[in-house]
Amino acid sequence: MPSTTGCNSDENWFEINANSPFICVTLVVKMDSSIAAVVEIPQDSDFTLDNLPYGVFSVPPGKTQRLGVAIGGHVLDLSRVGHLFDGPLMKEHQQVFASSVLNEFMGLSYRHWSEARATIRSLLTSEKERLPSDALIPMEAVILHLPANIGDYTDFYSSIDHATNVGTMFRGKDNALMPNWKHLPVGYHGRSSTVVVSGTPIRRPNGQTRPADDKPPVFGPCKLMDFELEMAFFVGGEANSLGDTIPVERAHERIFGMVVMNDWSARDIQKWEYVPLGPFTAKNLGTTISPWVVPMEALMPFAVANYTQDDPAPLPYLRHSDEYNFDINLEVSICPDGESESSVVCQSNFRHMYWTTKQQLAHHSVTGCIMRPGDLLASGTISGPEPSSFGSMLELSWRGSKTIPLKNGGERKFLKDGDTVGIRGTCKKNGSRVGFGQCQGKLLPAKIITLA
């Protein structure tokens, strides 16, 4: 293999050292061949020039939160380069990069997001030394925070394989899907106050359960603790007015970017409480998201055909023919307490989703519901057709009837205290890689609650 490879464009020539543990993306000016900027990107990095995800970070010992973009093993501090966003749209909105959360930037239009992304890419590959010396900070030196103030959080139920699996367990194969499931994106309103960033421990909840149908309920720690493999998107753009809808054909203008998500679930509490109004305390104990928001523009090269919806066809307000599903490989691992090796228990893909994010947003707003920048809308558990792609312990263990083997002789039906659940999402195509980073959390024991 030669030591360098190159790709020509109208203006730039990019040099790549193929034998290095890092891919050094360098812009070389044709006229004098001088190197103006170098961004080192590990070969297995989620954070390539094709990605450029947004997040919020601080640098200890200070606690001031700043906006950043992940690039290789570094964070580009947007507060240090805000004055360089001098395009026709962003030059009037440079102040958004001085904020401590992404909501104000999310509230701009999708055209502003696109121009900002182009500026960031230019700054990281420019022939001119435009970046301040302290603008790039090593990733290991920062603490990551929630990327936005999440006003409202909604969780959908949009994987047909997951819905079929759960329905089969509790109602039988012939009645697996409820009559409305293929007509609209089913969802429920969750609790934004317990959405946390990756790395935040989650405590096993206490609650009411009914272990036997012929006995009264009891109170105590959840015994059937589960993860749910999900993804979620942040709403952006200017909030619609009460009564105004977001048409499906323009819904992409209001979708800022996506994160990986773990919707922790207490299955025994859920079983007892969900009738007749659906999930409640079994779902409000904690929801973990990855810290980096991958822009939709970065995901568009990985767009794939939408799930076939012809039996029945959706109502007109939910129909769109453009491809807005995505080939995102997803993986869930469990690392028991005290062990260093994780065991992969699930490998799935976002392309298995039945309802698209555009349809979810259009349906959510069809009543005139106000959708604000920073609102979080989740996919629901993402399961594929194969048992290895089932996105929850409930499905993997088939309601506790099977065990899931782990490394070193371990096994699980549901989660144990001390387990760390990690979820990753990655897109790969034609040498391009876009990833979401880690979404993980450790399950802590329940607090002891003494009833009076």
Side-chain angles (χ1 to χ4, degrees), residues 234-253:
F234 278 99
V235 175
E238 184 179 357
N240 54 303
S241 300
L242 182 64
D244 289 345
T245 64
I246 301 173
V248 70
E249 62 272 12
R250 296 190 61 185
H252 64 281
E253 299 176 9

Side-chain angles (χ1 to χ4, degrees), residues 252 296 299-307 320-326 351 356-358 429:
H252 64 281
M296 299 312 297
L299 293 175
M300 288 312 299
F302 305 96
V304 294
N306 305 328
Y307 204 101
H320 69 94
S321 58
D322 59 312
E323 294 181 348
Y324 212 75
N325 203 353
F326 300 95
R351 70 189 306 160
T356 70
T357 54
K358 291 180 65 170
K429 182 179 180 181

Side-chain angles (χ1 to χ4, degrees), residues 182-183 309-319 354-355 359:
K182 287 188 175 182
H183 291 272
Q309 300 175 344
D310 56 9
D311 184 26
L315 292 175
Y317 80 96
L318 287 171
R319 295 177 195 167
Y354 186 90
W355 295 103
Q359 290 173 317

